[in-house]
C-alpha cells in the first residue's frame, strides 16, 4: 500500500528534474541561438535528423495539407502524400490534438469523420463505433498503433479495448487515423479504423516543454518532454505525465490517478534509421456504466431524483472497499474464500510497451522496413455494472425477494446501512454488480516489408506480419450490491426474522448475491501470420495500388469448469445460496483458419491541389477469444467496402469528402446480462458520406465542419431475438431491417476559430458545436437514445518565444446526452418513466501553463 504514493512521487520528480534541467540548459544557450520564428507564433521544434522518409514527413508539416506525407496504410517507409492517398486519412499534429481537448484516446477518434466514440464512461472502456460497422459495443473495429505497431494483435476483448492501453501526452508528435482502405493488408489487418500515434524523437539542440494543468474537477496534472542529442547521429528523448483527479463524477476517492513515462533512442544514417522506444503506463480510472435517468417519453431524458445524470456515480467511500465471496467451503458456518475489491483501482492499466523500427534504403530501387513490438501487463476492471433492474423502494424490493426465495409470510425486516444507521424502507434502492476482472496480457509482433522499384513509378512490396499473444483472465461477475439510488450511496444490509429464524438477505457489506452471472478462468494463446504482396504504379496523374494478404490465425483456449451452489452450506445466508464457482477440469477450444484480404485503389491528381479516388476492398475480422468462448464455431467476418473520395485545397478552403458502401457477413454479437452470455450471428449493409471541410472566410479566421451521414441496417439474421415488451409480456422479433445499434444516422462538429496577432505573441480562440443524432441502444429499436448536442471552447495565448497559456472546457451548457441505454437488456428498458442509461459527463474546464524550450 505504501508503494503507490512513492511511485507517483518518483515519476513526478523524474519528469520535473529531467525537464527543468533541459529548460535551464535551453535558457543558458538561448543567447547564442538564432531563430526565424515570428513573435506572433509559437516556437517551432528543431527538426529531427531521421531516415529519408521520416525527414520527408517532418518537412511536409510546413507544406499545404494535401502535400503532407503520411506513413500509415502505405507499403514503403517513405510514406505517401495525402493528395496521392486513395483512402480516407485524418492527420493531426500535437498542437491540433491539444486543441481538440479529448477526454480520452477514444474521444480523439471523432476527429476522423464517421467515428463515434462513447467516451462517457471515463478514461477507459469506451465503445468505439465506426460508421457502417455493426459493432454494438466495445471496440472490435478499432486498432491502436504506436509507431506503426499494434499495441495488442487482437483488436478487442471483453473488458479491453486498445484505447484503454494508451494515454495521450506530450511525447506524441502526431497521429494518423485511417479508415479501412489498404489497412486490411498491414498490421493486424484492421478493416475498420486505425490510429497510428507517432512518437517525438530527439533533436540536435535540446528542446521540449514542461506544463502544469488544473481542472475544475479537481485535476492536477504535470506534463513534460525533453529531446536531446546523445552523440553524433544518436538522439534520445524522455517524457510523460502524472495526474490526479476527483473526476466530473466524483466517487469520493481519486477517479483518475497515475502516469506514463516514455523514452526513445534513435540512430540515423544517410540511408535509414533505427529507433528504439519504451513506454510504461500505470493509471487507475473510475469506470461508469448505466445510471438511473428519468425517461418521460421516447428520446427525452432528465435527472433522476438525487442522482445527477452528468455528475452522479455509485462510487463512494462507503462502498469503495469490499470482499467478494468466490470459493465455497462446504462446512456449515465457515467463511467462503474470495477476493478483495477496491473501486479506486477501477478500469486500470499497468502496461509496458517496447518497440523498434528499422528503415533502410539499399539503393538501386531496393528498400526495407521492419517494425517490432512487445506489450505486457495487466488491464484489470473493478467497477459497478448495472444489473438491468430499474430502482424501486426498499420495501418493495424486500417483498419481491421474500416471494422469489419462498420465505414464510409475516417476517420482520431489519434494514441498516453498513455504518449501523437505520435505513428507510420507503427510499429508492438499486442493485449494482461489483464486477471483478483480472486480465494478464502479453504480445509480440513483427512486420517486415521489402520493396523494389521494378521500373520508374512502379514499386512492388512483399511483406510478413507475425504476432504471438496470450490473455489469462479471471472474472467474477454478478456480486450484486444493494445500494441507495442516489449519488455516492451507502450499501444497505437487510435481514428477515420470524423470532425463531433469521434469514440474511444480504451479507454484512450489502451484497445480495455472490458470483451470480459468471465465474470465468481462462487461458488463451493466439498466433497470427500473414503474407502480403502489394504494387503501386504511378502513371502520369494516376496512382494505382493494389494488394492481397493471406492470413492464418490459430487460437487455443482452456476454460475452467464451473459449478453452482451454496458457498457456506447455510440456507439462511440467502445471498450466496446460488453462486457460481470454479470446479475441477477445463473445457478446451481450438480454432484454426486461413483467410484472404485484398484491396484495389486508383487516385487521379487533377493538379497539386485537387484529386479524386476510388477504392474497393475485402477485409476479414477473425473471432476474438470471447467470441470463441461464447460460440466455438464462430465464423470469420467478411467485410466488403466500396469507396469514392474527393480532396481539394485552395487558399480559402480545404475539403475531403468520401462516400461508401459497406457489406458485412458472419458478424457475432455477444451480450453479457446478469444471467450469463448470449451470442448471435448476423450481417449488415450500409451506405454513407464522410466529410471534413475547413473554410477561411477572411484573414486569421477559420471554420471547420466535419461529420458523416450513415444509413445502415441488419440483415441475414435467421430466427428472432426474445425480449420483454412495455406491458411485461415476452416477445420475439427479427433484427433484419433495424438500424445499426448505437450509431447515429447523422453527426457533425462545427468549429469556428479566430487568431489575434499581438506585439507579444498571439491569441487563438475557438468554440465547437457537436451534434449527435438519434440512435437505439439495442438491436431491435426498443431503446431510443434521442439526440444531443454539446459545446466546447478553447483559448490559447502564445506569450513570447517560450510561454503558452490556455483554457479549455467541455459540455459548457451541461447537456444530458445519452450514449447507451440499458446494456444488460434487449427490448424495452424504460419502466414508470425511468431507464438505466449513461450520459456524457457534465461541464469541465481546465487551464494549463506551459514552458517550451
Amino acid at each position: 500500500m505504501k508503494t503507490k504514493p512513492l511511485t507517483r512521487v518518483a515519476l513526478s520528480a523524474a519528469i520535473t528534474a529531467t525537464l527543468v534541467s533541459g529548460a535551464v540548459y535551453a535558457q543558458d544557450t538561448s543567447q547564442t541561438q538564432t531563430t526565424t520564428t515570428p513573435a506572433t507564433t509559437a516556437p517551432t521544434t528543431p527538426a529531427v535528423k531521421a531516415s529519408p522518409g521520416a525527414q520527408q514527413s517532418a518537412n511536409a508539416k510546413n507544406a499545404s495539407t494535401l502535400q503532407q506525407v503520411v506513413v500509415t496504410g502505405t507499403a514503403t517507409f517513405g510514406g505517401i502524400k495525402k493528395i496521392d492517398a486513395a483512402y480516407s486519412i485524418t492527420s493531426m499534429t500535437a498542437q491540433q490534438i491539444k486543441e481538440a481537448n479529448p477526454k480520452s484516446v477514444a474521444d480523439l477518434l471523432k476527429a476522423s469523420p464517421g467515428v463515434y466514440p462513447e467516451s462517457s464512461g471515463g478514461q477507459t472502456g469506451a465503445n468505439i463505433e465506426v460508421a457502417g460497422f455493426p459493432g454494438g459495443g466495445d471496440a472490435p473495429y478499432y486498432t491502436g498503433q504506436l509507431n506503426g505497431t499494434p499495441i495488442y494483435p487482437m483488436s478487442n476483448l471483453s473488458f479491453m479495448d486498445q484505447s484503454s492501453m494508451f494515454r495521450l501526452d506530450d511525447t506524441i508528435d502526431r497521429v494518423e487515423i485511417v479508415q479501412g482502405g489498404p489497412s486490411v493488408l498491414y498490421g493486424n489487418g484492421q478493416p475498420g479504423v486505425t490510429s497510428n500515434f507517432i512518437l517525438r524523437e530527439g533533436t540536435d539542440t535540446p528542446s521540449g516543454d514542461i506544463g502544469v494543468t488544473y481542472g475544475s474537477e479537481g485535476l492536477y496534472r504535470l506534463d513534460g518532454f525533453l529531446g536531446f542529442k546523445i552523440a553524433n547521429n544518436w538522439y534520445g528523448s524522455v517524457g510523460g505525465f502524472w495526474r490526479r483527479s476527483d473526476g466530473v463524477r466524483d466517487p469520493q476517492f481519486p477517479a483518475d490517478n497515475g502516469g506514463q513515462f516514455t523514452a526513445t533512442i534513435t540512430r540515423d544514417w544517410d540511408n535509414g534509421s533505427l529507433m528504439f522506444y519504451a513506454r510504461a503506463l500505470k493509471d487507475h480510472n473510475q469506470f461508469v456504466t448505466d445510471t438511473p435517468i428519468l425517461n418521460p417519453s421516447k428520446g427525452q431524458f432528465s435527472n433522476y431524483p438525487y442522482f445527477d445524470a452528468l455528475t452522479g456515480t455509485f462510487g463512494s467511500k462507503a462502498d469503495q472497499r469490499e470482499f467478494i465471496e468466490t470459493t465455497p467451503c462446504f462446512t456449515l458456518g465457515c467463511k467462503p474464500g474470495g477476493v478483495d475489491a477496491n473501486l479506486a483501482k477501477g478500469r486500470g492499466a499497468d502496461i509496458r510497451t517496447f518497440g523498434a523500427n528499422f528503415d533502410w534504403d539499399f539503393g538501386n530501387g531496393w528498400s526495407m522496413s521492419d517494425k517490432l513490438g512487445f506489450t505486457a501487463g495487466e488491464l484489470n476492471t473493478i467497477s459497478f455494472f448495472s444489473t438491468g433492474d430499474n430502482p424501486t423502494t426498499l420495501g418493495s424490493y424486500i417483498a419481491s425477494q421474500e416471494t422469489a426465495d419462498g420465505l414464510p409470510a409475516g417476517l420482520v425486516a431489519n434494514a441498516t446501512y453498513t455504518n449501523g444507521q437505520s435505513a428507510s424502507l420507503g427510499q429508492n434502492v438499486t442493485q449494482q454488480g461489483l464486477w471483478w476482472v483480472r486480465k494478464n496480457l502479453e504480445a509480440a509482433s513483427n512486420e517486415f516489408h521489402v520493396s523494389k522499384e521494378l521500373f520508374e513509378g512502379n514499386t512492388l512490396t512483399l511483406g510478413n506480419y507475425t504476432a504471438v499473444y496470450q490473455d489469462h483472465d479471471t472474472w467474477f461477475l454478478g456480486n450484486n450490491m444493494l445500494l441507495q439510488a442516489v449519488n455516492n450511496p451507502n450499501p444497505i444490509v437487510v435481514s428477515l426474522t420470524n423470532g425463531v429464524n433469521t434469514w440474511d438477505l444480504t451479507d454484512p457489506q450489502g451484497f445480495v448475491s455472490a458470483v451470480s452471472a459468471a465465474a470465468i478462468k481462462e487461458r488463451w494463446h493466439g498466433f497470427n501470420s500473414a503474407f502480403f504482396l502489394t504494387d503501386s504504379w504511378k502513371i502520369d496523374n494516376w496512382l494505382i495500388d493494389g494488394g492481397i494478404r493471406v492470413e492464418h490465425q490459430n487460437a487455443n483456449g482452456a476454460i475452467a469448469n464451473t459449478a453452482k451452489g451454496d458457498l457456506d452450506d447455510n440456507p439462511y445466508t440467502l445471498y450466496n445460496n446460488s453462486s457460481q464457482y470454479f470446479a475441477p477440469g477445463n473445457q478446451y477450444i481450438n480454432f484454426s483458419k486461413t483467410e484472404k484480404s485484398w484491396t484495389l485503389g486508383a487516385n487521379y491528381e487533377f493538379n497539386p491541389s485537387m484529386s479524386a479516388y476510388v477504392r474497393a476492398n475485402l477485409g476479414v475480422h477473425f473471432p476474438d477469444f470471447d467470441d470463441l468462448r461464447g460460440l466455438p464455431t464462430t465464423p470469420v467476418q467478411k467485410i466488403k467496402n466500396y469507396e469514392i473520395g474527393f480532396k481539394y485545397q485552395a487558399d480559402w478552403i480545404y475539403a475531403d469528402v468520401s462516400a461508401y458502401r459497406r457489406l458485412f457477413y458472419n458478424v457475432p454479437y455477444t451480450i453479457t446480462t446478469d444471467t450469463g452470455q448470449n451470442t448471435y450471428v448476423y450481417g449488415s449493409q450500409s451506405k454513407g458520406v464522410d466529410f471534413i471541410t475547413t473554410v477561411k472566410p477572411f484573414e486569421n479566421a477559420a471554420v471547420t465542419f466535419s461529420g458523416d451521414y450513415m444509413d445502415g441496417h441488419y440483415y441475414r439474421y435467421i430466427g428472432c431475438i426474445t425480449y420483454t415488451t412495455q406491458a411485461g409480456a415476452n416477445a420475439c422479433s427479427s433484427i433484419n431491417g433495424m438500424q445499426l445499434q448505437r450509431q447515429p444516422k447523422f453527426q457533425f462538429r462545427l468549429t469556428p476559430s479566430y487568431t489575434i496577432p499581438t506585439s507579444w505573441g498571439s491569441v487563438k480562440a475557438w468554440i465547437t458545436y457537436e451534434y449527435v443524432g438519434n440512435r437505439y441502444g439495442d438491436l431491435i429499436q426498443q431503446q431510443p437514445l434521442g439526440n444531443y448536442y454539446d459545446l466546447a471552447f478553447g483559448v490559447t495565448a502564445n506569450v513570447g518565444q517560450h510561454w503558452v497559456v490556455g483554457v479549455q472546457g467541455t459540455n459548457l451548457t451541461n447537456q444530458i446526452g445519452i450514449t447507451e441505454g440499458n446494456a444488460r437488456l434487449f427490448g424495452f428498458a424504460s419502466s414508470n418513466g425511468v431507464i438505466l442509461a449513461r450520459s456524457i459527463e457534465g461541464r469541465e474546464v481546465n487551464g494549463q501553463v506551459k514552458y517550451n524550450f
Side-chain angles (χ1 to χ4, degrees):
M1 294 302 293
K2 294 182 180 180
T3 60
K4 187 169 74 172
L6 288 176
T7 302
R8 181 178 65 195
V9 171
L11 179 59
S12 302
I15 295 174
T16 303
T18 302
L19 297 170
V20 168
S21 65
V24 171
Y25 180 87
Q27 288 177 319
D28 290 342
T29 59
S30 62
Q31 300 302 318
T32 62
Q33 297 176 19
T34 60
T35 178
T36 59
T37 304
T40 56
T41 60
T44 57
T45 302
V48 177
K49 293 183 178 179
S51 64
Q55 186 67 56
Q56 184 183 17
S57 179
N59 292 338
K61 293 177 187 178
N62 296 320
S64 64
T65 302
L66 288 180
Q67 296 302 314
Q68 290 180 4
V69 172
V70 293
V71 297
T72 309
T74 62
T76 57
F77 71 87
I80 187 174
K81 290 190 294 185
K82 260 191 177 183
I83 194 170
D84 293 327
Y87 53 95
S88 173
I89 183 166
T90 301
S91 58
M92 301 178 72
T93 65
Q95 181 60 29
Q96 290 171 326
I97 293 173
K98 174 65 179 175
E99 291 180 1
N101 194 24
K103 286 185 169 291
S104 62
V105 171
D107 197 42
L108 179 68
L109 299 178
K110 63 189 179 186
S112 178
V115 181
Y116 174 58
E118 296 178 0
S119 52
S120 51
Q123 285 285 313
T124 59
N127 301 303
I128 301 172
E129 304 292 343
V130 183
F133 284 71
D138 294 324
Y141 305 112
Y142 167 67
T143 293
Q145 292 184 350
L146 184 60
N147 278 14
T149 299
I151 299 174
Y152 189 78
M154 192 167 275
S155 58
N156 181 83
L157 293 171
S158 292
F159 305 102
M160 186 212 85
D161 71 282
Q162 294 196 11
S163 73
S164 299
M165 305 174 74
F166 193 85
R167 300 292 186 274
L168 297 170
D169 60 20
D170 288 353
T171 64
I172 300 300
D173 177 69
R174 66 192 189 278
V175 62
E176 297 175 356
I177 307 173
V178 175
Q179 290 191 43
S183 290
V184 300
L185 301 180
Y186 310 120
N188 63 349
Q190 177 58 263
V193 61
T194 299
S195 66
N196 183 16
F197 290 94
I198 299 168
L199 293 172
R200 293 169 71 180
E201 299 179 38
T203 51
D204 277 317
T205 301
S207 61
D209 57 71
I210 182 168
V212 177
T213 304
Y214 173 75
S216 60
E217 77 280 22
L219 166 68
Y220 298 90
R221 177 168 172 141
L222 174 68
D223 283 273
F225 174 82
L226 175 63
F228 49 90
K229 184 175 182 178
I230 301 173
N232 189 32
N233 294 325
W234 285 92
Y235 302 91
S237 72
V238 292
F241 79 92
W242 169 82
R243 58 93 191 280
R244 182 194 182 281
S245 172
D246 295 330
V248 176
R249 301 179 183 273
D250 185 357
Q252 300 179 334
F253 48 80
D256 300 300
N257 193 8
Q260 181 171 260
F261 185 79
T262 304
T264 72
I265 296 177
T266 304
R267 172 65 164 96
D268 290 338
W269 295 272
D270 291 340
N271 293 336
S273 69
L274 173 64
M275 177 187 179
F276 298 97
Y277 60 89
R279 169 172 279 218
L281 168 66
K282 189 168 186 178
D283 198 26
H284 296 295
N285 314 101
Q286 178 187 214
F287 178 70
V288 176
T289 54
D290 309 332
T291 66
I293 296 175
L294 292 184
N295 183 205
S297 60
K298 290 184 177 180
Q300 300 298 312
F301 306 94
S302 59
N303 286 327
Y304 184 79
Y306 308 110
F307 200 104
D308 193 304
L310 301 170
T311 61
T313 174
F314 285 114
S316 70
K317 275 294 184 185
D319 58 33
Q320 176 185 348
R321 299 178 184 275
E322 308 294 345
F323 178 81
I324 299 173
E325 293 185 357
T326 64
T327 308
C329 56
F330 301 120
T331 301
L332 183 63
C334 71
K335 183 176 178 56
V339 294
D340 292 314
N342 181 358
L343 280 173
K345 297 291 186 181
R347 200 158 183 170
D350 189 355
I351 299 290
R352 281 87 55 201
T353 305
F354 308 91
N357 287 22
F358 180 60
D359 300 315
W360 195 262
D361 188 343
F362 295 97
N364 297 320
W366 286 94
S367 64
M368 60 86 67
S369 176
D370 191 84
K371 300 179 180 68
L372 175 66
F374 300 90
T375 297
E378 294 186 351
L379 198 70
N380 303 327
T381 296
I382 301 176
S383 179
F384 280 127
F385 288 79
S386 67
T387 64
D389 296 328
N390 283 331
T392 185
T393 65
L394 178 57
S396 297
Y397 172 77
I398 293 173
S400 68
Q401 291 304 112
E402 286 178 315
T403 301
D405 291 331
L407 300 181
L411 297 180
V412 177
N414 178 43
T416 64
Y417 302 120
T418 50
N419 61 10
Q421 295 181 357
S422 178
S424 169
L425 297 182
Q427 67 178 314
N428 286 344
V429 297
T430 181
Q431 293 183 68
Q432 293 290 311
L434 184 56
W435 291 9
W436 189 98
V437 176
R438 171 167 289 175
K439 298 187 74 70
N440 189 295
L441 303 166
E442 291 184 1
S445 67
N446 188 81
E447 182 171 352
F448 175 78
H449 297 207
V450 59
S451 301
K452 176 68 170 76
E453 186 178 18
L454 301 181
F455 51 86
E456 185 176 356
N458 185 284
T459 301
L460 184 71
T461 299
L462 174 67
N464 170 263
Y465 167 80
T466 298
V468 181
Y469 51 101
Q470 68 177 30
D471 175 28
H472 292 185
D473 279 16
T474 302
W475 299 12
F476 297 117
L477 309 187
N479 325 315
N480 297 335
M481 180 174 282
L482 186 62
L483 300 169
Q484 296 172 294
V486 300
N487 184 43
N488 303 134
N490 283 295
I492 299 173
V493 180
V494 179
S495 62
L496 305 167
T497 182
N498 59 6
V500 178
N501 296 311
T502 298
W503 288 264
D504 292 322
L505 188 60
T506 74
D507 78 349
Q509 304 170 106
F511 281 111
V512 298
S513 74
V515 183
S516 59
I520 297 175
K521 182 180 291 184
E522 56 187 355
R523 303 188 309 274
W524 286 97
H525 300 271
F527 172 80
N528 286 58
S529 186
F531 288 91
F532 48 86
L533 181 69
T534 72
D535 188 80
S536 176
W537 193 2
K538 179 74 172 177
I539 312 173
D540 295 326
N541 290 356
W542 288 94
L543 180 60
I544 301 171
D545 72 274
I548 187 170
R549 170 186 173 115
V550 178
E551 181 174 7
H552 177 76
Q553 173 171 300
N554 184 272
N556 300 285
I559 304 167
N561 292 330
T562 61
K564 205 159 191 175
D566 191 350
L567 294 185
D568 60 3
D569 200 30
N570 185 347
Y572 294 101
T573 52
L574 303 176
Y575 55 84
N576 63 12
N577 284 354
S578 184
S579 300
Q580 192 174 83
Y581 51 88
F582 298 127
N586 295 286
Q587 173 194 359
Y588 295 95
I589 296 176
N590 296 296
F591 175 87
S592 181
K593 193 76 173 179
T594 301
E595 293 289 351
K596 296 183 293 292
S597 302
W598 59 262
T599 186
L600 180 63
N603 185 85
Y604 185 81
E605 184 178 337
F606 297 95
N607 56 55
S609 298
M610 182 168 62
S611 67
Y613 68 87
V614 61
R615 179 170 295 279
N617 64 262
L618 172 70
V620 299
H621 187 86
F622 285 96
D624 62 44
F625 297 147
D626 300 293
D627 293 330
L628 295 174
R629 184 185 62 248
L631 184 65
T633 58
T634 297
V636 177
Q637 295 181 49
K638 303 288 182 67
I639 303 101
K640 293 180 179 179
N641 180 68
Y642 307 95
E643 184 178 2
I644 59 173
F646 176 77
K647 302 170 186 176
Y648 176 73
Q649 185 168 16
D651 291 341
W652 64 277
I653 189 173
Y654 168 78
D656 187 343
V657 182
S658 62
Y660 58 82
R661 170 73 166 165
R662 290 164 179 165
L663 302 173
F664 277 74
Y665 307 90
N666 302 327
V667 183
Y669 175 73
T670 301
I671 182 172
T672 302
T673 70
D674 198 44
T675 57
Q677 293 183 309
N678 297 296
T679 300
Y680 308 91
V681 178
Y682 51 79
S684 73
Q685 54 184 340
S686 63
K687 56 183 178 294
V689 177
D690 294 338
F691 58 90
I692 180 167
T693 303
T694 299
V695 177
K696 299 179 180 179
F698 49 86
E699 188 177 6
N700 297 324
V703 179
T704 299
F705 183 48
S706 66
D708 78 286
Y709 173 81
M710 185 278 303
D711 183 20
H713 303 86
Y714 298 108
Y715 79 142
R716 291 176 176 267
Y717 179 74
I718 301 174
C720 61
I721 293 178
T722 58
Y723 69 99
T724 303
T725 68
Q726 185 173 356
N730 293 325
C732 195
S733 175
S734 172
I735 66 174
N736 291 331
M738 300 295 180
Q739 180 178 328
L740 294 185
Q741 179 191 15
R742 299 165 86 146
Q743 293 194 31
K745 277 195 171 184
F746 184 51
Q747 62 170 326
F748 70 85
R749 288 153 195 94
L750 181 67
T751 304
S753 64
Y754 188 77
T755 302
I756 306 172
T758 71
S759 60
W760 44 262
S762 64
V763 177
K764 180 178 180 180
W766 65 92
I767 189 167
T768 297
Y769 176 88
E770 178 182 42
Y771 173 84
V772 177
N774 184 47
R775 296 132 294 125
Y776 292 92
D778 62 336
L779 281 77
I780 51 178
Q781 298 188 191
Q782 298 295 301
Q783 296 185 39
L785 304 181
N787 56 62
Y788 69 88
Y789 78 90
D790 66 85
L791 288 174
F793 85 101
V795 179
T796 298
N798 295 304
V799 184
Q801 295 296 311
H802 300 291
W803 292 97
V804 180
V805 180
V807 179
Q808 295 180 268
T810 57
N811 198 6
L812 299 181
T813 56
N814 273 329
Q815 298 298 308
I816 293 178
I818 303 302
T819 62
E820 71 173 23
N822 193 326
R824 306 276 85 79
L825 291 179
F826 277 121
F828 187 77
S830 180
S831 177
N832 298 320
V834 179
I835 188 175
L836 293 178
R838 185 174 68 193
S839 170
I840 59 176
E841 293 181 337
R843 178 171 50 243
E844 182 269 340
V845 179
N846 67 75
Q848 184 183 68
V849 177
K850 176 177 285 188
Y851 183 83
N852 292 316
F853 55 89

